[in-house]
Amino acid sequence: MNSSLNELEQAFQAKIDAEQKIEPKDWMPAKYRQNLVRQVSQHGHSEVIGMQPEGNWITRAPSLRRKAVLLAKVQDEAGHGLYLYSATETLGTPRADLIEALQTGKAKYASIFNYPTQTWGDIGAIGWLVDGAAICNQVSLQRTSYGPYARSMIRICKEESFHQRQGYQIMVELAKGTPEQKQMAQDSLNRFYWPALMMFGPHDSKSAHSAQSMKWKIKRETNDDLRQKFIDQTVPQIEFLGLEHPDKELVWNEERGHYDSGEIDWEEFNSVINGNGHCNRQRISHHVAAHEEGLWVREAQHAYNVKMKARRASTAA
């Protein structure tokens, strides 16, 4: 039995090493499946919960055009959540289980979405920094080893790229506007920069999943490498805006060819991840309320599906 299992695991790893995709009906180790369910569902939860801080500003956006653009972006995020939940379902986990895990706190989502959006500048910072950090991570996930996940990332990355540009455009207009608008942009940058760096997760040496995910090519780049890439690309963007960089310890390292940066407040990160952020309870309670209010829609859809199935069976007979 152990010999047979070892052979399956070796064949599985050989397939991954050969850059072949793993598909839903393929044999896979139980821990590979569990790791994927954790990562993909967490990604999906982040998209769905991430609708809330921006949805809060749809009615308060400064123009009709801004309202329409923000509404479209929030709709995109709902679609991303659906793609990712569907990918998770191919691993044998029902969507109802995913939602229950989210609402009971068993599953996590990106800590960044537990910070409040206090000003219109925060919408720009989220688009620029949060979606920019997401793109850094998600571009490589287009090559992840699990087929449904990799394919879902293709469209998601295209749409996230638009979101990032939309957010940066807001920041450009604020930074080049009145002194009050520029200060708003600076304040939003100050508050969202460090939480955006936390999105990449803990240092690889302290990550419980990073090494195994890299071996199985679920992840293609490490947390620290992705974070470094984001830091390096953000510096010239901040300079173009004419804003002050929030990291006062930032310095170019000629030998490494990268920026050295200050240390993240990991105590804050752990506190937010464990439910003690500004908006943790609000985000989940809002999700629970919306889920309960939408029960009649799900029941109606189920009844319709049953009716149509019966009709097709009757016609076939």
Side-chain angles (χ1 to χ4, degrees):
M1 181 67 180
N2 288 338
S3 175
S4 177
L5 180 60
N6 288 337
E7 290 176 1
L8 286 170
E9 290 177 343
Q10 290 172 8
F12 175 81
Q13 188 63 50
K15 188 172 184 179
I16 288 177
D17 293 341
E19 298 293 343
Q20 298 177 26
K21 297 298 182 194
I22 305 300
E23 299 297 341
K25 293 185 178 180
D26 292 344
W27 183 90
M28 64 187 76
K31 289 186 177 180
Y32 176 86
R33 187 184 303 273
Q34 293 166 4
N35 204 332
L36 269 172
V37 169
R38 178 195 57 79
Q39 179 171 323
V40 182
S41 64
Q42 178 176 308
H43 191 168
H45 297 328
S46 299
E47 296 283 356
V48 171
I49 296 296
M51 297 165 63
Q52 293 188 39
E54 292 179 300
N56 185 43
W57 275 88
I58 290 174
T59 59
R60 295 184 289 163
S63 69
L64 180 60
R65 177 177 176 274
R66 289 296 187 190
K67 287 178 172 64
V69 171
L70 187 56
L71 179 61
K73 181 185 179 186
V74 172
Q75 288 177 318
D76 283 349
E77 289 163 350
H80 298 173
L82 292 176
Y83 302 152
L84 294 162
Y85 284 161
S86 295
T88 311
E89 287 177 313
T90 66
L91 293 160
T93 302
R95 190 168 307 187
D97 291 358
L98 301 176
I99 293 173
E100 179 186 11
L102 170 64
Q103 294 181 349
T104 58
K106 296 177 184 177
K108 305 296 185 182
Y109 56 88
S111 59
I112 189 76
F113 299 119
N114 290 310
Y115 291 83
T117 45
Q118 302 176 32
T119 69
W120 176 247
D122 292 357
I123 302 302
I126 287 177
W128 167 37
L129 297 173
V130 176
D131 293 325
I135 291 169
C136 276
N137 184 43
Q138 293 170 7
V139 165
S140 65
L141 290 177
Q142 293 176 103
R143 298 182 291 111
T144 190
S145 61
Y146 188 58
Y149 191 23
R151 290 188 287 272
S152 71
M153 293 313 306
I154 295 173
R155 177 168 180 171
I156 289 175
C157 283
K158 290 179 180 178
E159 293 177 349
E160 291 289 7
S161 179
F162 167 79
H163 299 166
Q164 193 269 347
R165 290 196 296 272
Q166 174 252 348
Y168 194 65
Q169 182 192 41
I170 292 174
M171 296 297 286
V172 169
E173 292 185 358
L174 290 175
K176 305 303 180 183
T178 66
E180 292 79 10
Q181 289 173 322
K182 184 173 183 179
Q183 182 55 45
M184 179 186 290
Q186 183 70 62
D187 177 63
S188 296
L189 169 60
N190 291 344
R191 286 185 289 107
F192 277 89
Y193 178 77
W194 291 105
L197 294 187
M198 297 176 193
M199 288 177 62
F200 296 101
H203 291 306
D204 297 304
S205 60
K206 296 184 179 180
S207 173
H209 307 285
S210 188
Q212 187 61 68
S213 291
M214 290 291 292
K215 180 181 179 181
W216 281 329
K217 298 187 179 180
I218 295 173
K219 291 180 62 174
R220 305 299 299 238
E221 296 183 74
T222 69
N223 295 350
D224 290 327
D225 286 346
L226 290 167
R227 187 167 19 247
Q228 184 68 66
K229 181 184 295 186
F230 177 74
I231 291 170
D232 291 346
Q233 75 179 28
T234 305
V235 171
Q237 295 170 349
I238 294 175
E239 291 176 349
F240 179 81
L241 291 173
L243 300 178
E244 293 183 14
H245 201 292
D247 186 354
K248 304 311 177 186
E249 298 180 35
L250 188 80
V251 61
W252 176 254
N253 187 319
E254 191 68 40
E255 184 177 345
R256 291 200 312 122
H258 296 287
Y259 283 94
D260 292 336
S261 58
E263 188 58 35
I264 293 169
D265 184 348
W266 291 112
E267 287 187 9
E268 177 182 331
F269 170 77
N270 290 324
S271 178
V272 175
I273 282 291
N274 290 319
N276 299 311
H278 295 289
C279 299
N280 287 70
R281 294 169 183 81
Q282 177 185 334
R283 298 292 185 240
I284 294 300
S285 63
H286 183 87
H287 188 279
V288 170
H291 187 68
E292 291 175 349
E293 290 171 6
L295 176 60
W296 70 272
V297 178
R298 297 192 296 278
E299 290 178 339
Q301 182 65 53
H302 177 70
Y304 176 79
N305 290 341
V306 170
K307 179 180 178 180
M308 294 306 295
K309 184 178 180 179
R311 180 178 296 179
R312 287 192 295 269
S314 176
T315 302

